[in-house]
Amino acid sequence: MSLRVIAGKARGRKLKTVPGDTTRPITDRVKEPLFNILGADVIDSNWWDVFAGTGAVGIEALSRGAVFVRFSDSNRVPIETIKFNVEHCGFKSQAEIRRADAFAYLSSPPDREFEYIYIAPPQYQEMWVKALELADENPGWLRGDGWVIVQLAPKEYKSLALESLEELEQRKYGSTLLVFYARK
């Protein structure tokens, strides 16, 4: 699979992929409509790409005008890939890259607010449920008008009763489902 930045400052830059099958990079078929939905709201926004993998979502956000992206992943190889991709695209000064367990990190006291928290964990392990529930329990991570966006396989989806977040909408693109949540 060839990854690239679709639009903005780094448009056309090819991104390095993580070797093996430990990550599932977002396809252009999903990334383009995602950023079309968000539109100009990406400009001057802060993002947290929780299970960052290659960093493709956060890098696309930076390319389209986001001011800051935190990339986190628990494994060394994706972290090295993200560092390479961020530097290759010229966004090192706007990025923070942390090797961290997503669940422990989401459980910790917030040190920053984000307009967008993007959750795209490994499939079929219900990790998205745990991550979303932790974001719900710790709402200080999300700005009042911010969104949590979950990327998962459609057959993984189930409706959740959340305290501080509500589901806004779902969009299906082939074998990928994007679910958008906002504060109640």
Side-chain angles (χ1 to χ4, degrees), residues 51 103 119 121-122 124-132 156:
F51 297 88
F103 307 123
I119 298 172
Y124 310 115
Q125 299 174 30
E126 295 212 1
M127 294 170 80
W128 75 273
V129 172
K130 186 173 180 182
L132 184 61
E156 281 186 276

Side-chain angles (χ1 to χ4, degrees), residues 157-169:
Y157 173 79
K158 61 183 174 184
S159 182
L160 301 174
L162 301 168
E163 187 70 30
S164 69
L165 296 172
E166 67 179 330
E167 184 179 319
L168 298 176
E169 69 175 298

Side-chain angles (χ1 to χ4, degrees), residues 28 36 52-53 57 61 68-69 76-77 85 98 111 124 138 142 144 159 163 168-169 171-172 181:
D28 289 355
N36 286 343
V57 170
F68 175 82
V69 175
R76 180 187 55 79
V77 176
N85 287 337
R98 291 192 182 183
D111 61 356
Y124 310 115
N138 209 350
L142 190 64
S159 182
E163 187 70 30
L168 298 176
E169 69 175 298
R171 299 280 179 102
K172 186 177 178 212
Y181 298 86

Side-chain angles (χ1 to χ4, degrees), residues 38-166:
L38 304 178
D41 289 341
V42 173
I43 298 169
D44 296 329
S45 63
N46 292 277
W47 286 65
W48 181 4
D49 193 349
V50 179
F51 297 88
T54 63
V57 170
I59 290 168
E60 188 72 35
L62 289 168
S63 186
R64 292 173 184 245
V67 294
F68 175 82
V69 175
R70 175 177 288 164
F71 298 88
S72 62
D73 204 287
S74 62
N75 297 308
R76 180 187 55 79
V77 176
I79 290 295
E80 290 172 1
T81 303
I82 295 163
K83 286 179 181 175
F84 175 87
N85 287 337
V86 165
E87 288 183 35
H88 174 67
C89 292
F91 297 124
K92 188 175 179 183
S93 66
Q94 296 169 266
E96 177 184 286
I97 303 166
R98 291 192 182 183
R99 184 173 178 190
D101 175 84
F103 307 123
Y105 208 169
L106 283 164
S107 298
S108 66
D111 61 356
R112 184 178 199 122
E113 283 185 325
F114 299 93
E115 280 85 9
Y116 298 100
I117 298 175
Y118 196 81
I119 298 172
Q123 296 185 108
Y124 310 115
Q125 299 174 30
E126 295 212 1
M127 294 170 80
W128 75 273
V129 172
K130 186 173 180 182
L132 184 61
E133 288 174 343
L134 288 169
D136 181 61
E137 292 166 13
N138 209 350
W141 287 113
L142 190 64
R143 279 235 163 111
D145 61 347
W147 287 3
V148 177
I149 304 165
V150 177
Q151 175 190 326
L152 66 153
K155 64 182 178 181
E156 281 186 276
Y157 173 79
K158 61 183 174 184
S159 182
L160 301 174
L162 301 168
E163 187 70 30
S164 69
L165 296 172
E166 67 179 330

